Amino acid sequence: MDKLIVLLPATPLLSALLITLLADRARRRIARLSVGFSVLTFVLAAAALALYLVEGQPQWASFGPGWGSLYLDPLTSVMSLMVAGISLVVHVYSVRYMAEEPGYGRFYILLDLMAAAILLMVAAGDLVTLLVAWHLIGVLLYFLLGHDAARPAAQRYAFWTFLTYRLGDLPLVLAAVLLYESYGTAALPTLFERISAAPDAHAVAGFPVLGVVALLVALAAFARSAQFPLHTWLPYTMEGPTPVSALMHAGIVNAGGFIINRFAPLFVHAGSVLHLVFAVGLVTAILGSILMLTQNDIKKSLGYSTMGQMGFMFVECGVGAFSLAIYHLIAHGLFKGTLFLGAGGVIGNARKHDGVPHDDIYTFVVERRPLAPRLPWILAAVITVVVPFLVLGASRWLMGGDSVGEQGGIILLFFGWVTGAQLLFATYRLRVDSPWRLMAMIILSLVIVVAGYTLIEHGFDLFLYPDRELSERIYAAASIPLATFEVLVMILTAAIVVGWLATYYAAANGRAHHGDASPLRIAFYSLISREFYVADVYAWLTQATLSLSRRLNVWSRWM
Amino acid sequence: MTLLLIASLFLPLFPLSVVLNGALTKLNHPAARGALLLVWPQLGIGLLQIAPHAMPPYFVPWALLTSGLYALRLLTVRDMGRWAGFLATSSLTLTWALAAGGDIVELHLFAFWFSLPPALMALLVHPLTRRFGAAYAGLQGGLIGHLPRLSAVLAVTALAAVATPPFPGFFALLRVLHALDWAGAVTVLAIWLIWGWAATKLLQGFIFGTDRTAPGTDIGRASTLAFTGVASLFVAAGLYLTGGGL
């Protein structure tokens, strides 16, 4: 098992070294070599997961006195398989996609090094190895995003990404130093044991050290996973090659969720940090979704969609559903990778057929077809509000009586409720010949999706956190006082019910299509179109720093 | 105290740092510059060793200010020779953070980890000047298209110089963070951030961007292998001798 853990990051590293030595060979041979090693890495990752399932015990292997250790636990085995899988798909896709690009060999070297760095990060068994891998990912991503050396935009946004990542590296470095100083070890399993034994034994600047470290880890995660206001780099990484975009949006950007899970034993003692994670995730999810809806470029829209999804992932962490965040990041990685790799095809098809459905007036006047009926709006509104709530509530209840009572579970139920209601509303607005049949089919699909999702998530939770006490303590740490929570639940329930009734009423009476845009709405749209001016603020800060540097050089040119 | 002040000439504290940077500007031969960068801080540590007095507490804030000043200046320096000198000044001053508690071997090694990469950068000025007349970021650009080996060597050396893992500067920096208090550690991290920013600006000026030069001959295989060998040995020595920094 030890050898297997070492081979996971070593295999892509060996591939990169071999390609460097064979740089003068034909492109096809380079690609074949790299893809071959990627297949091997995937097989090794699958074997590591299988071995873990058979043995059932985490393994820690050290190769040096102070650092250089690897750790195979449920989180590592699942993440390794996901990373190796996405890396393999990206490698295969790049064979033809990058065929006409200069620097073909360099691209594969960087891709292999990136796979090695990510695998090292997920398998890191100590703080230093984790820092090394975490940092290398940012550096390698800079070179991958800037692969097209002649495009100024690619260079500019590669630099943005690098700087944000470096900014996020700093708190993690500080967290590692603080943990080592407080608990005297860099090895993760020993560190977590000592934390459990003496959680409140140390303080820094008058604050409990675990709270400070958890905050620093959360800050590092925010930068890595594009949480507001450190999100500006993410949508612009589309300037890099499409396979890199896919790798980044499907894998690298998820590192924030991973690092929070890796340090889960810390967050048990830092409930207030989990509340911050929840708030930041919620703001990011809302802003990311709003910005996504206003884009007219499919790849940028996907970029903001990733931002929104990352926000949801942090919301899940914030309510204590750590394993759900990992399940989410895997599911998101797979579907977002598919979307990115298929974006080119979609753009090609859209040039032939725009795919925009005709509106009611066009159908009636030009196509001379009668309008298909809709369900009565009040009935549809009741179905929309009641059905998702019942389906989700029942599925949570079936998974165990306790989980429905957890605050985190209830908050996630709300998110599911709103999403399910959105699906039913979209169904209501469609003009079809048999609306009842369509609605029944959609509700059936919803039941299947929710049941499947809940079952898998439950299994996933049991696999990732076999220590049930730890899982329950994380939920408990994320909780807020019961009375406050109940008031919030009542307000949210009322807002959702009234909101959907109003939405249906407006849709049924055509109010959504009429009326001039108010100045407030125009101002809001301007704000969104400038992406809340966050990037402008950063650009101003950058220019101010460079200006200060120039002045310093002029003033002190003689020294 | 006099010996400490003389040491602050060699482990350059502002404004005494003018001597090192002035000497680097005056020296024309890249090998001489490289040698100066390697030897200069070791002399300072030798002086620290024989200094009879303990280091006054204001030396560490002074060193951090000097380091921050040169890091900021680094952002808009485009001449690679001066860039190497400024980076060496910014990083070598951090030796003072370890001087209070670190043993003398550790100090010698620390200075070596942060002076070898700038010395290699000073050497790289030569092939650039020979081909383009000056080693000036933004003047040529796009070297990666025609000179991939030189670009790769330049990129690796720049990354080593700004303490990117797995180069030993990174582990040495972790050791510095250990030795400092909360505020000092945050300052060092901010300086590290600026080094990274400066390195990307330098690389964007040389290896990325539109290629405005006629195709030239790349550096030879032997030179590339020599640089790769030195870099590999540097990494191996760092991994072995720093013990991970923490």
Side-chain angles (χ1 to χ4, degrees):
Chain A
M1 187 98 115
D2 290 0
K3 285 174 189 155
L4 200 60
I5 314 173
V6 181
L7 282 174
L8 266 176
T11 307
L13 187 66
L14 182 65
S15 172
L17 284 174
L18 283 175
I19 296 171
T20 310
L21 294 174
L22 306 171
D24 299 335
R25 298 290 174 91
R27 291 180 164 216
R28 189 180 289 179
R29 293 184 74 172
I30 288 173
R32 217 177 275 166
L33 183 77
S34 189
V35 171
F37 271 94
S38 289
V39 172
L40 184 60
T41 311
F42 182 71
V43 171
L44 288 170
L49 178 63
L51 267 176
Y52 179 80
L53 288 171
V54 170
E55 294 192 5
Q57 285 298 318
Q59 299 279 326
W60 186 78
S62 176
F63 309 97
W67 72 288
S69 58
L70 299 173
Y71 187 43
L72 185 69
D73 67 344
L75 184 62
T76 304
S77 53
V78 166
M79 290 297 292
S80 298
L81 188 64
M82 182 226 174
V83 170
I86 290 175
S87 166
L88 173 61
V89 172
V90 168
H91 270 77
V92 172
Y93 183 86
S94 305
V95 173
R96 290 182 67 185
Y97 188 87
M98 299 299 290
E100 304 294 322
E101 300 284 326
Y104 194 70
R106 173 164 47 95
F107 180 79
Y108 270 104
I109 291 169
L110 288 169
L111 211 53
D112 282 333
L113 287 176
M114 178 61 93
I118 302 176
L119 287 167
L120 185 65
M121 180 191 76
V122 299
D126 63 86
L127 294 169
V128 181
T129 309
L130 182 67
L131 284 181
V132 169
W134 184 265
H135 192 93
L136 278 176
I137 289 170
V139 174
L140 291 167
L141 188 59
Y142 168 72
F143 286 103
L144 273 172
L145 288 173
H147 180 76
D148 188 350
R151 283 184 67 196
Q155 302 310 317
R156 186 164 57 246
Y157 298 123
F159 164 70
W160 274 23
T161 306
F162 175 80
L163 202 63
T164 314
Y165 270 38
R166 181 58 81 95
L167 202 64
D169 294 341
L170 309 185
L172 196 65
V173 171
L174 215 51
V177 171
L178 278 175
L179 280 175
Y180 185 78
E181 278 182 359
S182 303
Y183 292 96
T185 180
L188 292 177
T190 317
L191 179 71
F192 295 145
E193 276 171 24
R194 291 186 188 174
I195 286 174
S196 302
D200 304 317
H202 306 279
V204 57
F207 296 100
V209 81
L210 291 184
V212 174
V213 169
L215 178 65
L216 291 169
V217 171
L219 289 175
F222 292 162
R224 190 63 47 124
S225 292
Q227 296 300 290
F228 184 84
L230 298 170
H231 66 280
T232 47
W233 57 275
L234 183 67
Y236 293 95
T237 48
M238 311 307 154
E239 296 295 337
T242 295
V244 179
S245 301
L247 183 65
M248 213 194 68
H249 286 256
I252 300 166
V253 77
N254 296 318
F258 165 77
I259 201 81
I260 288 182
N261 267 272
R262 176 52 84 212
F263 285 100
L266 284 180
F267 287 94
V268 170
H269 308 284
S272 50
V273 177
L274 287 178
H275 299 153
L276 174 75
V277 169
F278 176 80
V280 171
L282 188 62
V283 170
T284 306
I286 292 170
L287 294 184
S289 306
I290 290 172
L291 288 167
M292 179 191 76
L293 292 172
T294 54
Q295 303 305 313
N296 53 14
D297 175 322
I298 185 171
K299 286 179 81 181
K300 218 170 151 195
S301 179
L302 286 176
Y304 277 117
S305 154
T306 300
M307 181 185 160
Q309 292 289 339
M310 291 299 107
F312 279 122
M313 189 175 76
F314 275 76
V315 163
E316 286 154 357
C317 289
V319 299
F322 279 29
S323 57
L324 185 62
I326 293 291
Y327 178 49
H328 188 158
L329 77 84
I330 291 173
H332 170 254
L334 294 177
F335 88 73
K336 193 51 68 70
T338 312
L339 286 175
F340 265 107
L341 298 180
V346 172
I347 293 167
N349 287 338
R351 286 185 181 133
K352 293 170 196 156
H353 309 288
D354 61 11
V356 177
H358 298 143
D359 68 1
D360 294 350
I361 296 171
Y362 182 90
T363 309
F364 188 71
V365 175
V366 180
E367 294 184 355
R368 301 196 173 203
R369 285 197 289 128
L371 286 179
R374 274 181 180 160
L375 294 181
W377 75 266
I378 188 77
L379 188 65
V382 171
I383 291 173
T384 299
V385 170
V386 174
V387 170
F389 183 78
L390 288 179
V391 171
L392 286 154
S395 67
R396 296 294 302 181
W397 175 74
L398 281 171
M399 282 302 108
D402 292 341
S403 61
V404 80
E406 289 158 358
Q407 289 185 8
I410 292 173
I411 293 168
L412 294 175
L413 201 137
F414 268 92
F415 278 100
W417 187 17
V418 173
T419 313
Q422 177 70 41
L423 174 72
L424 295 180
F425 179 62
T427 310
Y428 163 75
R429 291 177 68 184
L430 290 175
R431 296 275 186 189
V432 289
D433 293 332
S434 51
W436 278 110
R437 188 163 166 267
L438 180 68
M439 187 59 86
M441 297 302 283
I442 289 291
I443 290 172
L444 182 66
S445 311
L446 185 69
V447 171
I448 292 169
V449 168
V450 169
Y453 197 88
T454 312
L455 270 172
I456 295 171
E457 185 262 319
H458 187 67
F460 217 72
D461 190 37
L462 291 174
F463 175 68
L464 280 184
Y465 288 94
D467 178 3
R468 300 312 299 156
E469 195 194 337
L470 175 65
S471 181
E472 282 162 18
R473 284 170 68 202
I474 296 171
Y475 272 113
S479 302
I480 57 172
L482 195 62
T484 316
F485 182 73
E486 282 174 354
V487 171
L488 281 174
V489 165
M490 279 188 275
I491 293 171
L492 267 175
T493 308
I496 289 172
V497 171
V498 173
W500 277 118
L501 285 174
T503 307
Y504 269 93
Y505 180 77
N509 293 287
R511 295 236 174 133
H513 304 289
H514 295 297
D516 295 329
S518 66
L520 191 68
R521 191 177 281 192
I522 291 171
F524 183 59
Y525 182 75
S526 307
L527 194 65
I528 294 169
S529 65
R530 290 299 303 158
E531 296 164 10
F532 302 104
Y533 294 97
V534 178
D536 298 85
V537 171
Y538 290 157
W540 179 82
L541 281 173
T542 308
Q543 288 307 319
T545 312
L546 291 176
S547 172
L548 175 67
S549 171
R550 275 187 214 102
R551 278 183 207 166
L552 281 173
N553 275 329
V554 171
W555 290 335
S556 50
R557 57 189 171 277
W558 42 271
M559 60 176 69
Chain B
M1 193 61 196
T2 314
L3 273 178
L4 280 177
L5 279 175
I6 298 173
S8 65
L9 188 79
F10 292 99
L11 297 171
L13 292 177
F14 184 81
L16 300 171
S17 49
V18 66
V19 180
L20 172 64
N21 286 296
L24 285 170
T25 318
K26 295 289 175 202
L27 285 173
N28 284 325
H29 202 280
R33 282 187 197 164
L36 181 70
L37 281 166
L38 284 172
V39 174
W40 192 264
Q42 303 298 341
L43 294 174
I45 293 164
L47 286 170
L48 275 183
Q49 199 175 356
I50 56 170
H53 298 291
M55 190 181 75
Y58 56 83
F59 263 66
V60 172
W62 185 7
L64 292 180
L65 278 174
T66 305
S67 182
L69 172 73
Y70 277 91
L72 267 177
R73 290 185 67 184
L74 199 62
L75 281 174
T76 45
V77 170
R78 295 168 74 179
D79 179 85
M80 203 163 92
R82 295 210 83 185
W83 196 92
F86 280 11
L87 182 69
T89 310
S90 180
S91 53
L92 288 171
T93 49
L94 296 178
T95 315
W96 290 100
L98 288 179
D103 68 282
I104 210 73
V105 177
E106 189 183 16
L107 289 181
H108 279 296
L109 281 175
F110 182 88
F112 179 67
W113 304 140
F114 279 107
S115 53
L116 182 66
L120 290 177
M121 292 201 82
L123 287 179
L124 282 173
V125 169
H126 178 61
L128 287 167
T129 314
R130 209 180 62 197
R131 283 166 180 77
F132 309 110
Y136 208 69
L139 189 67
Q140 298 94 20
L143 296 190
I144 201 162
H146 291 132
L147 309 172
R149 284 189 206 137
L150 180 58
S151 302
V153 166
L154 184 60
V156 169
T157 313
L159 291 174
V162 296
T164 306
F167 291 103
F170 174 75
F171 305 110
L173 213 60
L174 287 182
R175 184 73 194 83
V176 170
L177 295 177
H178 237 323
L180 290 169
D181 59 8
W182 178 250
V186 171
T187 310
V188 169
L189 286 175
I191 290 166
W192 188 43
L193 174 75
I194 299 175
W195 290 351
W197 181 357
T200 51
K201 272 185 72 75
L202 186 84
L203 292 181
Q204 286 188 335
F206 279 110
I207 67 175
F208 298 124
T210 313
D211 188 359
R212 291 191 288 270
T213 60
T217 40
D218 205 350
I219 55 170
R221 273 182 186 274
S223 307
T224 314
L225 276 175
F227 259 97
T228 311
V230 170
S232 307
L233 275 176
F234 192 52
V235 171
L239 293 180
Y240 181 70
L241 293 171
T242 59
L246 286 178

